Amino acid sequence: MDKRLYEIDLYRFVASVMVLVFHYTFVGYMLGYAPDIRFDSIGEYSRYFYLGINFFFIISGFVILMSAKDGEPGKFFVSRFIRLYPAYWIGVLLTGSCILYFNQSQFQASSAELAANATMFQAAIGIKHIESAYWTLWIEMQFYLIMFALAWFGWLRFILPLIGVSLVLCTVSLFTSWGQEFDLWTNAFPHWWGYFATGCLLYLIHRDGLSLLKSFMLVLALVFVVCQNWLFTSMMEGWYGTAFNEFIILGLNLFFLSLMLFSALANKHPLRKVRFVAWGALTYPLYLIHQNIGYMLFNAYGQHINKYLMLFAAALLMLVSAYAIHRFVERPLAPWLKKHLTAWLQRRKSRESPAKEALES
């Protein structure tokens, strides 16, 4: 059984805070979601905190392969459903309630859009996200579906060559029209799949050790990261109308990859402390609720409160709300859902077994 790498919980928490700061101090006023409160001095640095998204995807690849390693699709489905949906439904409820309460022109949603968002598959049917941050959940969902299919067909034993093929295809595709024109917010390939593949590779290094082949594939992963960031930086400059320093972006990516590689290889780690589990538990609910609700708070109250106090208060409120979601929703529901979903799967399996035996006879 894999020993938990507690430092990864810390990395997840730091990445989520990076994204929150990026949204509140840069995206909000640059894209007109909360245009009246500017944080130009902070934004000079926090514009690079969007890289927390890349780090999330790498961590997801690591953790999801760990959870799917036994090759049992039923267990994988149960673990992912429990992890994703309870907090997500609360996030949809809170965001939808704030949309109705504040009634701001930037944030509107019909009842049909709210209902579609409860499925987490709204992007697949062309319905907008009621919370801007939900675009990454659809990317994650595509990755989960692929991993579920690999587990279902017993192909996880081919995961290492599949990782290599994914890294090569993603890197090459970045230089095609597909890489430059594809919808980055609803399609995992090619921009985001390479990060998942990198995380999967790091997990295999953690599980089995570093070999010559895996070392070569690490080079492939590094090439992908460099190429993806080179292209994505030019896109970001077009979207935001401001310059980004490629060397800062590359340096931050290399730093995080180094952290993850050290975690994968180290038997002992100075940050492998059990207390970081509590920090990591806040990450998902914080990510779900922080962005558009924060913007709505800025628009409603920012003109009456010092902007730095407003920033601190909004961030603190999101952290407290994330803790409440974890403490009073995720923790109580997880064992109940696991029990009933597992029982449901066992009943399905027991019904299918006689039918399968009859066909085989």
Side-chain angles (χ1 to χ4, degrees), residues 27-80:
V27 176
Y29 66 84
M30 290 296 291
L31 295 186
Y33 295 121
D36 296 327
I37 304 180
R38 298 183 65 94
F39 296 95
D40 296 289
S41 58
I42 300 176
E44 285 292 318
Y45 306 97
S46 64
R47 70 183 64 188
Y48 299 104
F49 286 7
Y50 78 89
L51 289 169
I53 296 294
N54 300 11
F55 304 159
F56 270 134
F57 288 151
I58 292 174
I59 292 170
S60 287
F62 190 105
V63 173
I64 297 310
L65 184 55
M66 182 185 295
S67 68
K69 66 183 184 301
D70 60 9
E72 295 188 31
K75 288 184 178 180
F76 180 73
F77 165 78
V78 169
S79 68
R80 291 305 91 198

Side-chain angles (χ1 to χ4, degrees), residues 5-314:
L5 307 184
Y6 297 117
E7 66 273 22
I8 291 182
D9 290 292
L10 174 63
Y11 300 160
R12 292 172 57 222
F13 178 77
V14 171
S16 69
V17 172
M18 286 176 63
V19 174
L20 179 148
V21 174
F22 169 64
H23 286 150
Y24 285 2
T25 64
F26 184 73
V27 176
Y29 66 84
M30 290 296 291
L31 295 186
Y33 295 121
D36 296 327
I37 304 180
R38 298 183 65 94
F39 296 95
D40 296 289
S41 58
I42 300 176
E44 285 292 318
Y45 306 97
S46 64
R47 70 183 64 188
Y48 299 104
F49 286 7
Y50 78 89
L51 289 169
I53 296 294
N54 300 11
F55 304 159
F56 270 134
F57 288 151
I58 292 174
I59 292 170
S60 287
F62 190 105
V63 173
I64 297 310
L65 184 55
M66 182 185 295
S67 68
K69 66 183 184 301
D70 60 9
E72 295 188 31
K75 288 184 178 180
F76 180 73
F77 165 78
V78 169
S79 68
R80 291 305 91 198
F81 187 92
I82 292 171
R83 181 72 183 96
L84 289 177
Y85 274 98
Y88 178 75
W89 285 327
I90 297 300
V92 170
L93 181 62
L94 288 175
T95 302
S97 298
C98 287
I99 288 172
L100 295 174
Y101 177 78
F102 288 109
N103 193 29
Q104 297 173 2
S105 59
Q106 301 99 313
F107 308 102
Q108 295 290 321
S110 67
S111 56
E113 288 169 336
L114 291 170
N117 271 255
T119 69
M120 208 183 291
F121 283 84
Q122 60 272 13
I125 55 177
I127 294 179
K128 72 176 183 179
H129 304 293
I130 63 168
E131 159 60 61
S132 301
Y134 288 173
W135 72 267
T136 61
L137 299 182
W138 174 234
I139 303 297
E140 293 262 2
M141 185 64 74
Q142 293 174 68
F143 176 60
Y144 292 169
L145 291 172
I146 294 293
M147 295 301 291
F148 180 83
L150 292 178
W152 182 272
F153 292 108
W155 293 345
L156 282 175
R157 62 186 183 275
F158 304 122
I159 191 65
L160 188 58
L162 288 172
I163 290 169
V165 170
S166 296
L167 288 170
V168 171
L169 287 178
C170 286
T171 304
V172 171
S173 297
L174 290 171
F175 296 94
T176 67
S177 59
W178 198 5
Q180 299 180 37
E181 299 174 5
F182 217 47
D183 187 346
L184 300 175
W185 313 121
T186 60
N187 296 285
F189 185 86
H191 278 265
W192 311 119
W193 188 259
Y195 288 105
F196 290 122
T198 299
C200 290
L201 175 61
L202 288 165
Y203 170 71
L204 293 180
I205 291 171
H206 165 67
R207 189 188 70 181
D208 304 323
L210 188 61
S211 64
L212 183 61
L213 176 59
K214 294 193 192 79
S215 298
F216 173 71
M217 292 175 68
L218 271 176
V219 175
L220 292 181
L222 180 60
V223 171
F224 164 77
V225 168
V226 171
C227 293
Q228 195 276 336
N229 278 282
W230 174 78
L231 176 59
F232 199 68
T233 298
S234 64
M235 292 179 171
M236 294 277 285
E237 290 176 339
W239 296 331
Y240 293 105
T242 189
F244 287 78
N245 187 308
E246 294 90 345
F247 294 103
I248 293 176
I249 293 170
L250 179 60
L252 288 171
N253 274 283
L254 291 177
F255 175 70
F256 185 75
L257 283 172
S258 299
L259 284 178
M260 287 295 295
L261 181 59
F262 180 52
S263 290
L265 292 171
N267 290 323
K268 294 183 179 181
H269 195 291
L271 296 176
R272 199 162 290 168
K273 309 294 184 184
V274 69
R275 65 175 176 270
F276 291 133
V277 173
W279 295 32
L282 301 181
T283 300
Y284 183 54
L286 176 64
Y287 188 81
L288 290 173
I289 64 173
H290 78 276
Q291 189 172 2
N292 286 6
I293 294 177
Y295 295 150
M296 286 183 263
L297 291 172
F298 280 16
N299 293 332
Y301 307 114
Q303 297 300 310
H304 311 291
I305 303 174
N306 176 275
K307 65 180 182 180
Y308 295 104
L309 179 60
M310 185 71 222
L311 174 62
F312 175 79

Side-chain angles (χ1 to χ4, degrees), residues 313-358:
L316 180 61
L317 177 61
M318 294 301 108
L319 283 167
V320 171
S321 299
Y323 172 78
I325 292 172
H326 173 67
R327 175 65 180 82
F328 299 109
V329 178
E330 290 186 305
R331 281 175 56 181
L333 275 180
W336 184 87
L337 282 172
K338 183 175 182 179
K339 174 184 175 182
H340 288 278
L341 286 173
T342 301
W344 174 71
L345 287 172
Q346 289 173 343
R347 288 195 299 270
R348 281 181 56 88
K349 189 175 181 179
S350 64
R351 287 197 299 267
E352 290 171 357
S353 294
K356 184 177 180 181
E357 291 173 1

